[in-house]
Amino acid sequence: MDNLLRRDYLDGVDSLAEYLQYNFTVPCSGVRGENKLECSFSDLCSGQCNDNQVIPLFNLIYRNASSRLHPNFRLTYPTMHLYNDEYYVGEHFAGVKIDPNTNVISRVKVVVLYFRTDRQTTEVSQVLNNWETSLFDYVENFDHPFLNMTVNSDAMIAREVRTNGMTCVPFFSFSVAAVVIFIFATNSREHFVFSHNVVMAILGIAGPLMATGTAFGFLFLFGFPFNSITLVMPFLIIGVGCDDVFIIIHAMRKTDKSESLEDRIAETMEEAGPSITVTSATNCLSFAIGIATPTPAISLFCLYTCVAVAVDFVYQLTFFVAVLVYEEKRLMKLQKVGEEKKIEAAMERRPKQVLSIQNSIRSTAGAHPPPANPNGIVSRYCRFLKDWKTRLCLLLVLCGYWTASYYGCKTMEIKMDTTNLIMNDSPLNHIAWIYERFLWSEGQLVMVFVNNPPDLTKSENLHEVLELVNRFETLPYSMGKNSTSIWLRSFLYQSSLYHNNKGFNGLLQEWLEDSEGGGARWNDMLRLKKDENGTILGIDKFMFATACAMGDDANWSTREKLQKQWRGVAHEYEHFNVTVFQSYSFYIDQLDSIGATTMSTVIWAAITMDLACLLMIPGINSILTSTIAMISINIGVFGLLSMWRVNLDPITMCTTLMSIGFSVDFTAHISYHYYRNPTSWTTDERLADALKSIGWPMIQAASSTVLCIFPLMFNTSYMVWVFVKTILLVTVLGLLHGIIFLPALLLTSGDLSRLFGGDSIQPEKPEKLGEISQASSFSSGNSETALVKSNSTELRTLPQERGSG
């Protein structure tokens, strides 16, 4: 980071380049000859293998003060001139300062060495991988009195990203433990049985864990690759799976204990089945849509999560329900062994157990239970929401929330940054800083490939090719003609030195074979057409390189703009089949598509969610209100993520799909339970019953989800934190919408429906149902006590006497 052109420093760089090229070896087991047991990079490299040749040439001239000023040696930037040949040094030198008097390079802060080659065979590729891995270790332990060194490569990035993903693994056990404790603490029965809570806590989380293992094993079996980002998936599956566990357990608690176990399980699944089905289906569909996204990492993450959610749903309906049956049988046996009188006495003292018969979901006759107790907290809360003043205040709050969220969505920046995929202490952060501060701002090569060149023996075609080169050299941010490396100009300049009558192709062949004249070093930039004797018949394809310097505008937006301009010029010469490549083209292509892909994915996912809900909740009011709530949740998640300094990138796209799927969980449960209640009830009675049925399990589910991702808050990875932030936002906003805003919306839509005659058909109320409703729901606490003291036989036959609802 200071001047590397000082004698000892530049000699050190020169020696290091030579050592890594020729003397840094790895075992190669005869890959390059039977007697060759250790191979250097020069042994493994194919082609010219002279990427770093400018370093010793520059050092040889610069170390002699008189040579620097020699007219045949011009150490200019970004191209230095040695006799009649040109060498581009802008790719190797950064932090460059030019002497204004001599125009010679006087300072270099960063020197970049390149080791590039083709992987010719599987054996050579494996040895190259070993060489690269050994180089990582060498750089990690590099100790030099003058120099410091860092390394960057695709394999290095892959290793650091994998390390980043693996940091999630140690936190997983803490998440499991936290959720087990939470299920245990919130799963108290009417008569507390310690062993039951332990069994439910352990086996409740066993389903999601098995689903995670099954999904990984199944996809590995079919050859799908592993990506470290998929390690976030188990945390999501625990959250989704535990949601279903709470709903099933809560539904089982409300069943009539006097009925047979078969009827109670049937009634439990009638109550919980549609809710967990619609949420599992919407989560699956949301991630299934993400599989079609063009970014491989997102597609793979969505595939793993989609399969895991589907498998978890199957396990909940089979494994966990079976566990529940066996657990209930075990408890029934415990009750019969010596404690029947104590349990009966406890049940008589606690009216809650008998009242659970009144709250039984539905009898075999299909009758509806009476509405919730109007004097209860839930009913009073619903009547509070029904007040127009309350709903007006909520509307104002929502308007402010939507405005802030919309502003956040508009200001969310589309940005690609490899440092978001690695840990804060990764050495690649230093590399990224060097790229941002020096390499991209001061000069970066763009490779132009002419895949269908014209016949260059004709002068008009030569002029058109040179015009193509000139177009790239005159684009904004271009470093101009001085930065271009193209064989054609060098050949045309030097061909006059060759005196023969062989024509263009003959001169070209002689020039390319002349290593002393400098023509031989251009061989890698051409692919030639030759006859059987090796005589050049023409040029099959060629490439050239030119440089751009973005200066202070070195950002992703400028890079995207530049790439579009390069491709625009290439398109103008489509008859030459011109293609353009830059080292960050891969990221720009994703950056280019991420906005449109995100928008289309969100729209299709939202439509799919609505269709899935429509199949389970065929009520127009419930569908409209849940859709509005779902959109509101997602706009809030995106907007607040933007304010929370999260950019739109592939990681955010993953969380986008996740938030869409999870937002349905909070809206579908309330909407379904509201929809299934009789329309003869008032809107606040329907809502109170819905909240009483699903409100507590939904709070449990939200709390367990937050507990599940809580250990990840101690992870410093940006990638992990985006998931944490998204889950926190979708959970908090989903719960607020499910408990406050959606109920208010349902009350409003229900009132409008009644106002315009949408509920004109009223079911007939049977007398017995009316009597029981008056005795149990619309009376004071004394009437509840009286009902408890009623004849037990009458209570057991109560469901059959409710009529058809």
Side-chain angles (χ1 to χ4, degrees):
M1 299 311 301
D2 207 327
N3 192 357
L4 289 174
L5 297 186
R6 288 171 288 178
R7 182 64 177 267
D8 291 338
Y9 289 78
L10 192 55
D11 285 347
V13 173
D14 192 359
S15 300
L16 183 62
E18 184 177 2
Y19 171 73
L20 294 178
Q21 183 87 10
Y22 301 104
N23 300 319
F24 183 74
T25 60
V26 293
C28 56
S29 304
V31 169
R32 285 303 193 192
E34 294 182 2
N35 299 325
K36 195 82 171 176
L37 300 179
E38 294 282 329
C39 294
S40 66
F41 183 81
S42 61
D43 297 322
L44 301 168
C45 181
S46 64
Q48 299 296 314
C49 300
N50 57 357
D51 280 328
N52 301 314
Q53 67 173 331
V54 299
I55 305 298
L57 289 174
F58 185 92
N59 186 27
L60 183 65
I61 298 168
Y62 191 84
R63 69 171 59 187
N64 191 322
S66 61
S67 297
R68 295 180 212 169
L69 303 177
H70 194 284
N72 289 330
F73 306 137
R74 289 178 289 153
L75 302 183
T76 52
Y77 184 83
T79 302
M80 70 176 185
H81 302 264
L82 307 183
Y83 293 103
N84 296 319
D85 212 350
E86 299 175 349
Y87 292 85
Y88 180 75
V89 296
E91 193 178 24
H92 294 275
F93 295 161
V96 176
K97 184 178 179 181
I98 307 297
D99 188 327
N101 298 321
T102 61
N103 204 31
V104 172
I105 298 173
S106 61
R107 186 196 69 190
V108 173
K109 283 191 172 184
V110 179
V111 175
V112 186
L113 305 177
Y114 294 91
F115 299 90
R116 297 179 285 215
T117 184
D118 294 330
R119 297 176 180 269
Q120 306 128 64
T121 64
T122 305
E123 293 78 13
V124 171
S125 179
Q126 183 57 51
V127 178
L128 281 170
N129 289 339
N130 296 339
W131 185 89
E132 193 173 9
T133 303
S134 299
L135 180 61
F136 295 159
D137 296 334
Y138 175 76
V139 172
E140 220 170 276
N141 301 300
F142 182 72
D143 186 21
H144 193 279
F146 305 118
L147 308 174
N148 65 68
M149 177 168 58
T150 52
V151 64
N152 183 34
S153 74
D154 288 344
M156 183 70 171
I157 294 172
R159 188 178 78 167
E160 291 300 305
V161 171
R162 187 164 54 250
T163 301
N164 185 14
M166 295 301 291
T167 58
C168 297
V169 175
F171 297 99
F172 188 62
S173 57
F174 293 102
S175 295
V176 171
V179 174
V180 167
I181 293 171
F182 183 77
I183 297 175
F184 172 82
T186 60
N187 188 34
S188 177
R189 292 176 66 95
E190 303 83 3
H191 44 281
F192 181 77
V193 180
F194 181 84
S195 62
H196 170 75
N197 282 20
V198 172
V199 170
M200 285 293 96
I202 295 175
L203 296 181
I205 204 169
L209 291 177
M210 291 193 305
T212 300
T214 302
F216 276 117
F218 182 79
L219 292 171
F220 290 163
L221 182 65
F222 283 89
F224 287 95
F226 171 78
N227 189 302
S228 59
I229 198 173
T230 59
L231 290 173
V232 179
M233 178 267 285
F235 295 89
L236 307 182
I237 300 305
I238 288 180
V240 172
C242 290
D243 293 359
D244 299 339
V245 167
F246 290 123
I247 294 170
I248 293 172
I249 291 176
H250 187 71
M252 188 68 178
R253 293 284 179 272
K254 294 170 60 181
T255 57
D256 187 348
K257 306 300 183 293
S258 64
E259 293 180 355
S260 66
L261 185 56
E262 291 83 353
D263 290 339
R264 291 175 60 201
I265 288 295
E267 197 171 347
T268 297
M269 297 317 295
E270 180 189 356
E271 164 77 359
S275 287
I276 64 175
T277 300
V278 70
T279 53
S280 298
T282 51
N283 282 324
C284 269
L285 289 170
S286 177
F287 287 110
I289 290 171
I291 297 173
T293 55
T295 306
I298 299 175
S299 179
L300 199 63
F301 170 80
C302 291
L303 174 64
Y304 275 83
T305 310
C306 179
V307 172
V309 170
V311 173
D312 178 68
F313 174 66
V314 174
Y315 281 150
Q316 296 299 342
L317 295 184
T318 54
F319 169 77
F320 184 71
V321 174
V323 164
L324 200 58
V325 170
Y326 278 103
E327 182 61 12
E328 288 297 323
K329 286 182 177 180
R330 187 181 71 84
L331 288 177
M332 290 167 64
K333 289 180 182 179
L334 287 176
Q335 291 174 357
K336 290 179 181 179
V337 180
E339 295 187 340
E340 292 182 356
K341 293 183 180 180
K342 293 181 181 180
I343 295 174
E344 287 175 2
M347 290 174 66
E348 288 179 2
R349 286 195 300 270
R350 297 183 65 180
K352 179 182 177 182
Q353 181 65 35
V354 180
L355 286 177
S356 68
I357 301 174
Q358 298 174 15
N359 293 329
S360 178
I361 315 306
R362 281 157 185 78
S363 69
T364 54
H368 290 291
N373 183 0
N375 295 317
I377 295 176
V378 177
S379 296
R380 290 201 297 269
Y381 170 71
C382 293
R383 287 198 296 272
F384 170 74
L385 286 180
K386 197 172 184 180
D387 186 358
W388 69 270
K389 296 177 183 177
T390 304
R391 282 184 280 175
L392 180 61
C393 290
L394 288 177
L395 178 61
L396 295 175
V397 171
L398 272 178
C399 288
Y401 159 77
W402 288 335
T403 302
S405 300
Y406 177 75
Y407 172 77
C409 292
K410 290 288 289 182
T411 56
M412 179 174 273
E413 183 182 359
I414 300 176
K415 184 178 180 181
M416 291 289 299
D417 194 344
T418 53
T419 58
N420 290 343
L421 302 175
I422 58 179
M423 298 297 292
N424 292 338
D425 58 351
S426 169
L428 287 183
N429 284 300
H430 183 53
I431 288 287
W433 184 83
I434 291 174
Y435 269 92
E436 291 282 351
R437 177 66 179 81
F438 296 106
L439 301 181
W440 283 340
S441 61
E442 294 187 9
Q444 190 76 359
L445 280 180
V446 53
M447 312 290 184
V448 182
F449 298 85
V450 182
N451 300 297
N452 184 32
D455 181 3
L456 295 182
T457 60
K458 298 179 180 179
S459 60
E460 61 269 21
N461 292 336
L462 280 173
H463 287 299
E464 189 174 11
V465 168
L466 292 173
E467 181 190 357
L468 166 66
V469 178
N470 182 65
R471 287 292 306 280
F472 279 94
E473 292 170 342
T474 53
L475 287 173
Y477 300 103
S478 173
M479 296 180 73
K481 185 177 180 179
N482 195 36
S483 69
T484 303
S485 298
I486 181 169
W487 64 273
L488 184 57
R489 281 180 181 157
S490 183
F491 168 67
L492 293 176
Y493 180 77
Q494 297 183 38
S495 61
S496 59
L497 302 177
Y498 296 86
H499 303 286
N500 59 47
N501 299 318
K502 296 178 181 178
F504 182 91
N505 290 333
L507 283 171
L508 179 63
Q509 184 158 15
E510 187 175 346
W511 179 67
L512 290 174
E513 292 172 354
D514 184 2
S515 56
E516 291 185 4
R521 76 182 186 90
W522 296 99
N523 275 290
D524 278 352
M525 301 187 79
L526 295 97
R527 294 292 179 266
L528 303 170
K529 299 175 185 176
K530 295 183 178 181
D531 61 13
E532 296 177 356
N533 300 321
T535 303
I536 295 177
L537 301 177
I539 298 172
D540 185 45
K541 57 185 70 177
F542 68 88
M543 65 166 288
F544 66 90
T546 188
C548 66
M550 292 175 278
D552 295 335
D553 296 334
N555 54 52
W556 286 104
S557 177
T558 306
R559 291 168 206 146
E560 183 183 11
K561 188 189 304 179
L562 272 175
Q563 181 155 291
K564 287 181 178 178
Q565 290 174 345
W566 295 333
R567 288 179 174 172
V569 172
H571 183 70
E572 292 178 24
Y573 291 84
E574 58 184 353
H575 53 291
F576 290 166
N577 188 13
V578 179
T579 54
V580 179
F581 174 78
Q582 219 284 333
S583 58
Y584 49 74
S585 293
F586 172 75
Y587 302 104
I588 295 295
D589 284 337
Q590 294 188 64
L591 194 66
D592 230 8
S593 64
I594 199 167
T597 302
T598 303
M599 184 59 67
S600 61
T601 303
V602 167
I603 291 172
W604 279 109
I607 293 172
T608 308
M609 300 305 100
D610 285 342
L611 292 175
C613 290
L614 185 61
L615 293 175
M616 296 292 175
I617 315 171
I620 189 64
N621 285 348
S622 296
I623 292 298
L624 286 176
T625 52
S626 62
T627 300
I628 293 171
M630 183 178 67
I631 293 172
S632 177
I633 293 170
N634 283 290
I635 290 176
V637 170
F638 300 143
L640 294 177
L641 278 176
S642 175
M643 296 179 183
W644 211 345
R645 293 186 295 180
V646 173
N647 301 313
L648 183 57
D649 54 25
I651 300 172
T652 313
M653 275 195 69
C654 288
T655 61
T656 296
L657 297 166
M658 182 176 65
S659 66
I660 291 172
F662 283 12
S663 64
V664 180
D665 295 5
F666 297 96
T667 58
H669 290 316
I670 295 294
S671 295
Y672 166 72
H673 284 81
Y674 178 86
Y675 158 78
R676 65 158 201 183
N677 285 326
T679 55
S680 59
W681 294 359
T682 61
T683 52
D684 57 306
E685 287 175 344
R686 296 175 69 185
L687 181 61
D689 185 82
L691 288 174
K692 188 176 178 183
S693 297
I694 201 65
W696 173 239
M698 199 162 66
I699 294 173
Q700 284 179 300
S703 303
S704 68
T705 302
V706 172
L707 279 174
C708 182
I709 56 116
F710 178 75
L712 290 178
M713 295 181 185
F714 297 96
N715 192 313
T716 58
S717 165
Y718 170 87
M719 178 180 74
V720 174
W721 259 100
V722 171
F723 279 95
V724 170
K725 290 175 181 179
T726 304
I727 293 174
L728 283 175
L729 287 174
V730 77
T731 302
V732 172
L733 292 177
L735 196 59
L736 289 174
H737 279 75
I739 300 298
I740 301 175
F741 297 120
L742 180 59
L745 198 57
L746 285 169
L747 291 172
T748 304
S749 66
D751 290 345
L752 291 174
S753 258
R754 288 179 180 273
L755 182 64
F756 293 104
D759 294 333
S760 57
I761 301 175
Q762 301 291 341
E764 184 182 350
K765 291 186 180 180
E767 288 185 8
K768 188 68 179 177
L769 179 60
E771 292 173 7
I772 295 173
S773 296
Q774 290 176 3
S776 62
S777 299
F778 297 102
S779 58
S780 65
N782 293 331
S783 61
E784 293 180 8
T785 307
L787 182 59
V788 173
K789 295 179 180 179
S790 301
N791 186 280
S792 60
T793 304
E794 183 180 348
L795 285 172
R796 280 195 296 271
T797 59
L798 180 60
Q800 282 75 25
E801 295 181 5
R802 287 178 178 169
S804 60

